[in-house]
Amino acid sequence: MKARESAFRDPRFWYSHFRICWGQIGPAFDPRLLSEAFGANDESGIAWWHEFTRWYPEIIDESDGELQDPTTLSIRFANALSMDIEFHPGLRPFYLSAPGSKRVLLGELGPHWRLPMLRWAEASRLSRLAVGALSYSQVLLLLLPGVWPDPTDDADQVESEVAEALRDIAVRHATAERLASQWRAAVAKGIEYSWMRHRPAGWASSSEHSLRRGRSAGPLNRLLARALEKDGAK
């Protein structure tokens, strides 16, 4: 089922997104700060999220929170590759695909999370290459749960760019800065899982939970490298 683009302009989406998509390796977001940022709370935000994902009480026991036809957002990039983000009641997988080929799982949020899926530089570039109704900031924030820091990143600059993306979706300046700071704390332990460059596999994570772990990440990295290209040039 195709996701309505208007959903990603709804503050209740972003409240729920930040409320449930972090906490794997660090603290979750303060719900009071999320309420200040998005004007929602657990009652209104999670009720909206349940409708958006078509959650019902038995779904976790029946299928571990997975639907056959989940609400899906398709993001197309400037080079004809695309990403599908599936919003199941109990998980959120991210798939990359090239024209005429099968989808490849990049990462997954949920109880059996497969993270990290992207370096900061990759998430930022992918977001800039997205075409369609969603803005750079919206795409970046959608990808953000799959981004863990790299020791080579300028942490202060990354935090500043996250705050700017939050301001771009109408979060007030001071609140955006506090929320970006909480994001930095929520993923800080990710720096313990280093990104390494293997040849010929490309960038790989040392996290045992990541699909980009070690030399086996080669096929996924090649597809990701194509997604990061524009008009055939890196």
Side-chain angles (χ1 to χ4, degrees):
M1 178 176 140
K2 184 178 179 181
R4 305 183 314 275
E5 289 174 349
S6 61
F8 306 100
R9 297 191 296 271
D10 194 312
R12 293 171 298 180
F13 171 84
W14 294 110
Y15 176 90
S16 302
H17 176 71
F18 280 90
R19 185 76 170 97
I20 67 177
C21 290
W22 277 269
Q24 295 92 350
I25 58 169
F29 286 94
D30 182 346
R32 294 168 297 181
L33 181 59
L34 295 179
S35 292
E36 182 180 332
F38 302 112
N41 54 34
D42 277 0
E43 183 177 359
S44 62
I46 302 303
W48 185 92
W49 187 259
H50 284 171
E51 181 178 355
F52 177 71
T53 61
R54 312 203 310 280
W55 176 93
Y56 57 93
E58 298 80 19
I59 184 65
I60 303 301
D61 290 336
E62 288 177 357
S63 61
D64 210 17
E66 186 172 359
L67 294 174
Q68 291 297 315
D69 178 29
T71 302
T72 302
L73 171 67
S74 294
I75 301 172
R76 191 164 53 87
F77 301 110
N79 44 39
L81 273 74
S82 62
M83 175 182 287
D84 287 344
I85 307 176
E86 294 184 351
F87 298 90
H88 297 261
L91 66 154
R92 188 186 310 182
F94 295 71
Y95 295 94
L96 274 178
S97 61
S101 66
K102 294 179 64 175
R103 302 189 308 174
V104 177
L105 183 63
L106 176 61
E108 183 177 298
L109 306 175
H112 310 295
W113 47 276
R114 311 296 297 274
L115 298 173
M117 62 182 189
L118 292 168
R119 296 161 51 238
W120 169 259
E122 294 166 340
S124 179
R125 179 156 176 79
L126 271 178
S127 301
R128 295 191 188 283
L129 291 175
V131 295
L134 296 186
S135 68
Y136 160 78
S137 295
Q138 288 172 313
V139 175
L140 180 65
L141 294 174
L142 282 166
L143 298 178
L144 201 59
V147 178
W148 288 3
D150 185 311
T152 64
D153 291 331
D154 181 333
D156 290 337
Q157 179 62 31
V158 171
E159 182 179 329
S160 176
E161 291 183 36
V162 171
E164 180 61 33
L166 288 163
R167 288 193 291 273
D168 194 45
I169 64 165
V171 177
R172 291 189 302 111
H173 183 92
T175 307
E177 291 188 341
R178 290 162 59 204
L179 199 54
S181 178
Q182 283 204 2
W183 170 76
R184 183 171 173 178
V187 296
K189 285 183 67 66
I191 207 165
E192 298 175 7
Y193 299 90
S194 58
W195 285 98
M196 301 162 288
R197 197 157 198 170
H198 287 294
R199 297 190 182 278
W203 286 103
S205 171
S206 63
S207 168
E208 64 273 24
H209 302 289
S210 179
L211 293 169
R212 297 182 65 189
R213 185 185 182 196
R215 298 182 185 277
S216 62
L220 178 55
N221 276 340
R222 286 191 288 273
L223 183 59
L224 181 59
R226 288 182 60 188
L228 292 167
E229 295 174 0
K230 183 177 181 181
D231 299 328
K234 291 185 180 179

